Amino acid sequence: MAVSGVHPLAGTIAAWMWLLPLLPLIGFVVNGALCILSKAHIGPADPDIGHDDQHAAASQSSHATDDSHAHGPPKFASLVTIIGPGVLLVSFLLAAAMFFAMRGVDMSTPFVQRYWSWMPVGALKVDFAFQLDQLSMVMVLIITGVGTLIHIFSVGYMREDPGYARFFAYLNLFVFFMLILVLGANYPILFVGWEGVGLCSYLLVGFWFLDKANADAGKKAFIVNRVGDVGLLIAMFLIFANMGTLDFAGVAAGAGSLPFGGPLVTTICLFMFLGCTGKSAQLPLYVWLPDAMAGPTPVSALIHAATMVTAGVYLIVRSSFLFSMSPVASITVAVVGAITALFAATIAVKQWDIKKVLAYSTISQLGYMFVGVGVGAYSAGVFHLATHAFFKALLFLGAGSVIYGMHAAYHHSGSHEDAQDMRNMGGLRKAMPITCVMMWIATLAISGIPPFAGFFSKDSILGAVYEHAGDSVLTDASWLGMSGHTVLLAVYVIGLAAAFLTAVYMTRLMLYTFHGPSRASEADQKHLREAPWSMTGPVAVLGVLSLVGGWLNLPAIASFLGPVGNLDHWLDPVVGSATRAVTNGVALETSHSTEAALIGGAIVIAVLGIAVALLALKPASLVPKAQSPAEHGFEKVLANKYYVDELYDDAIVRPTYGLSKNVLWRGLDAGIIDNLFVNGSAAVARGLGWLGARLQTGSTGVYAWAIVIGAIVVLSAFSFR
């Protein structure tokens, strides 16, 4: 392994960065092997067993293997429990050591390690290389740190599942690809990780694949993301065609030669953003994420809250040197993010499935991140990415504890009610006090109540939008005939509206789940209890992070709490020049009075949302799902998610299926290729064979007459010329 140039990190623990993704890859290989071995049947235990008995035993074993509701610890469970979370814990400790090594050296340039030449094809030269800088370090710490907690939670949540080893193999493989994505030193390496996490999302969303709904959800996630990935590929093609390189450093150096705000850089950024809308579930490609809740809840916490869905935000920040040169593309990112945030928040208000509420909440919060990076506040977007990883992972794991407890109670009582519907819950604060407290911390954080983490990160985004609406290159730009100033003010208002709805739907979730009377039967209530320590422990740690995470990047007005702008200073070598390019080369400063007014307004909005929910919602009057009346009017529209899935089905899926079936299959494949060419040529051959068979009679007289007739025909042809 050769180190390019002399870097302050050369010879330190950072030189082992290749080990970060290798450890979870080893976990995938070992757990995958244990999964295969657990299903291997070398032969019958009794050598005298009959053939029929062997078949019956194999059939029963196969059924148990695929039954996600089987009971009893699976084979090799103890070994899987050590390896699965263990490789992540070691990766996190290694990442922490690298972080401390980076703090003591000059990191004005990234530390790049090139391992081998991957694509030396003509002018295209792509090395398999990793890049460690401030941005990738933040992402690695989130992936390995939060990932370790979720792996530990999974031990308790999935322990009785017969696919236990397979689950951890998939989970380890996902972390491997996610680390490849954020450590890659060029776009092709990033794209390998990008596609890899998409594959793992498909595997984990459809983990319980015997249920058709789960299998369909996995396919939907995979297919919708492929649509966006076409955009990212086109952006990469355009970058290479015009700059001759795909390395981040090379593209950043060559970006200065592109015309500012020109059609080329705008086209590249918009195609890149198309990829982001798929991976990070933004309009119009958000529809896969709510269905992805079909997978086990730890999957939702890791992939669909803390890591994979933030890959689009990471890509824009990593490519900030391009987006800062295209005001039109940047405003587009902010507008799509704002509309997505509000759109998803309105749907979350009327969802009853606890995981679906959090799914639409994730889509909404991702919209906030895109608002931040869209207006050029790249560090603010990363800040919200980090705090969101804390409180949203906590919310999903807390919901997982609730679902786990409800399932356990239903199992004891023999009930078959929906364990994820909030209408079947209520009063769980008595049975699950730790989970209740931790989820309230996360709820206050995501609602934007100080001093919780989400307050600081969300306020930094809204404040940046207001600042950039006043003075930035975006203000002077025109977007669909409107001035950038007007558009950004509209984005700010939409952001406040989404913040209000966030407080409403999260308070609603907490009231209907933990407060009021229990809507479970008396038999079920007797068996409701807190989840085991392997599940409540990670929830408690994430609760602490959701409480103090805002200290990562305190605003100037909160200097009395500690050092301000830590994350801003940390990320400045990566995004500082791009951030200043958006603000005309100067750092925007807001007066303390204006900043206090913005913060005060955001707090009022959050408190008002919580108050409205507390006053309007009556948990005592809610009835279980089986007794609930059907929604009517606009409530029905929200409950059915604006019928967007049905619209896509009618406008895209069914016409595509009809075209494929009636034109491409029946018309082209079966009609022309099969019937005309294949069957037609066969019919001609059969006809010629039949004619030849009729002519070959074996009679000398017939042959003689044939010769005579042929001679006459030939002579006639010459005679009548």
Side-chain angles (χ1 to χ4, degrees), residues 352 421-425 512 519 622-625 628-629 631:
W352 292 108
D421 197 296
M422 295 184 295
R423 290 170 291 190
N424 294 331
M425 300 175 187
Y512 286 159
R519 290 175 291 278
L622 194 66
V623 296
K625 177 182 178 180
S628 296
E631 284 92 354

Side-chain angles (χ1 to χ4, degrees), residues 70 166 212 239 242 625 627:
R166 177 167 60 93
K212 187 178 184 300
I239 290 172
N242 290 276
K625 177 182 178 180
Q627 305 170 25

Side-chain angles (χ1 to χ4, degrees), residues 369-381:
M369 298 177 207
F370 280 107
V371 168
V373 298
V375 300
Y378 302 108
S379 59

Side-chain angles (χ1 to χ4, degrees), residues 63 219 259 261 367 398 423 464 466 476 670 672 707:
H63 176 75
K219 289 187 289 185
R423 290 170 291 190
Y466 187 85
D476 302 327
I672 297 178
I707 294 173

Side-chain angles (χ1 to χ4, degrees), residues 7-8 102 105-111 132-134 570 572-574:
H7 193 278
M102 290 175 64
V105 300
D106 177 19
M107 284 296 298
S108 56
T109 58
F111 178 44
L132 192 63
D133 58 15
Q134 292 83 348
W570 175 258
D572 187 72
V574 181

Side-chain angles (χ1 to χ4, degrees), residues 116-435:
W116 65 80
S117 181
W118 182 29
M119 295 184 192
V121 183
L124 177 64
K125 299 185 185 301
V126 177
D127 294 328
F128 193 93
F130 286 163
Q131 174 173 312
L132 192 63
D133 58 15
Q134 292 83 348
L135 176 60
S136 58
M137 190 75 258
V138 170
M139 296 300 296
V140 167
L141 287 172
I142 293 173
I143 294 165
T144 57
V146 177
T148 299
L149 295 174
I150 295 173
H151 275 65
I152 294 172
F153 180 93
S154 300
V155 171
Y157 193 85
M158 299 293 293
R159 180 77 180 193
E160 301 298 320
D161 195 288
Y164 188 68
R166 177 167 60 93
F167 178 79
F168 273 101
Y170 290 167
L171 221 57
N172 288 162
L173 182 64
F174 165 79
V175 175
F176 162 73
F177 278 121
M178 193 68 205
L179 290 172
I180 291 291
L181 190 157
V182 300
L183 286 173
N186 52 61
Y187 285 103
I189 298 295
L190 179 148
F191 192 72
V192 169
W194 188 277
E195 292 301 292
V197 294
L199 167 66
C200 294
S201 177
Y202 163 76
L203 295 173
L204 286 163
V205 170
F207 180 77
W208 291 317
F209 55 85
L210 289 186
D211 188 329
K212 187 178 184 300
N214 296 341
D216 288 345
K219 289 187 289 185
K220 184 175 183 179
F222 193 80
I223 293 170
V224 172
N225 271 274
R226 299 292 74 71
V227 177
D229 293 350
V230 171
L232 179 53
L233 278 173
I234 294 174
M236 291 168 58
F237 295 155
L238 290 173
I239 290 172
F240 178 73
N242 290 276
M243 301 185 195
T245 182
L246 289 170
D247 291 341
F248 295 140
V251 177
S257 63
L258 300 177
F260 182 86
L264 177 58
V265 68
T266 298
T267 302
I268 291 173
C269 291
L270 289 178
F271 273 117
M272 194 175 289
F273 180 52
L274 176 60
C276 298
T277 61
K279 193 67 68 182
S280 296
Q282 298 294 284
L283 286 168
L285 301 180
Y286 74 94
V287 291
W288 66 271
L289 184 57
D291 286 20
M293 297 302 106
T297 303
V299 173
S300 303
L302 179 61
I303 294 183
H304 306 126
T307 55
M308 187 191 88
V309 291
T310 62
V313 180
Y314 167 79
L315 176 60
I316 291 182
V317 178
R318 176 59 73 192
S319 306
S320 58
F321 43 78
L322 292 172
F323 280 87
S324 63
M325 296 182 62
S326 176
V328 171
S330 295
I331 294 176
T332 301
V333 172
V335 169
V336 172
I339 295 175
T340 303
L342 181 61
F343 178 81
T346 60
I347 297 177
V349 170
K350 279 305 296 180
Q351 298 303 301
W352 292 108
D353 186 309
I354 189 171
K355 289 178 66 176
K356 287 290 181 70
V357 175
L358 298 179
Y360 283 103
S361 173
T362 299
I363 297 171
S364 181
Q365 295 303 308
L366 288 167
Y368 267 107
M369 298 177 207
F370 280 107
V371 168
V373 298
V375 300
Y378 302 108
S379 59
V382 175
F383 184 27
H384 197 56
L385 184 157
T387 60
H388 179 265
F390 301 152
F391 58 70
K392 186 53 65 65
L394 168 55
L395 287 169
F396 268 115
L397 295 187
S401 295
V402 169
I403 295 168
Y404 180 90
M406 296 294 293
H407 267 300
Y410 288 160
H411 172 72
H412 282 95
S413 65
S415 176
H416 298 286
E417 298 294 333
D418 188 347
Q420 296 183 193
D421 197 296
M422 295 184 295
R423 290 170 291 190
N424 294 331
M425 300 175 187
L428 289 180
R429 71 186 186 280
K430 298 177 182 178
M432 309 181 72
I434 298 176
T435 302

